């Protein structure tokens, strides 16, 4: 089976797929915009910045303690961001195919 990219690049993925299997793909720029728009619609706070660390609370799978995001918030006209932290219940990493968060 050959996969063909939008730019015409073909990659042979061999004969590893069974007749009833498929590989689902999407364009990240479209998916991520959709995810961001839905998050905003449901009340998410959008941050334009670079995540530098995420503190995951102990027992995060069994309790509702918040995660702590450490990030550099983008400042117009500056090459350096402003260091900030934020406690959150959910992290939506919709920042592209090369995401540091997703």
């Amino acid at each position: 089976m050959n996969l063909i990219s939008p730019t015409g690049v073909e990659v042979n993925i061999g004969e590893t797929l069974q007749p009833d299997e498929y590989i689902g793909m999407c364009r990240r720029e479209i998916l991520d915009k959709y995810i961001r728009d839905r998050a905003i619609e449901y009340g998410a706070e959008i941050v334009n910045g670079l995540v530098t660390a995420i503190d995951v609370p102990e027992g995060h799978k069994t309790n509702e303690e918040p995660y702590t995001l450490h990030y550099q918030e983008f400042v117009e006209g500056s090459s350096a961001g402003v260091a900030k932290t934020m406690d959150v219940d959910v992290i939506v990493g919709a920042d592209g195919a090369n995401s540091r968060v997703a």
Side-chain angles (χ1 to χ4, degrees), residues 39-101:
I40 292 167
E41 184 180 320
Y42 283 90
E45 179 179 341
I46 301 301
V47 174
N48 186 5
L50 174 66
V51 173
T52 56
I54 301 172
D55 295 339
V56 179
E58 282 192 42
H60 67 281
K61 293 182 180 182
T62 58
N63 66 37
E64 296 186 18
E65 196 174 331
Y67 297 82
T68 301
L69 288 178
H70 301 268
Y71 62 98
Q72 296 288 323
E73 187 172 44
F74 174 74
V75 176
E76 186 74 39
S78 173
S79 62
V82 175
K84 293 192 173 188
T85 62
M86 176 187 297
D87 290 333
V88 298
D89 296 321
V90 176
I91 301 169
V92 178
D95 54 338
N98 298 315
S99 172
R100 291 180 160 189
V101 176

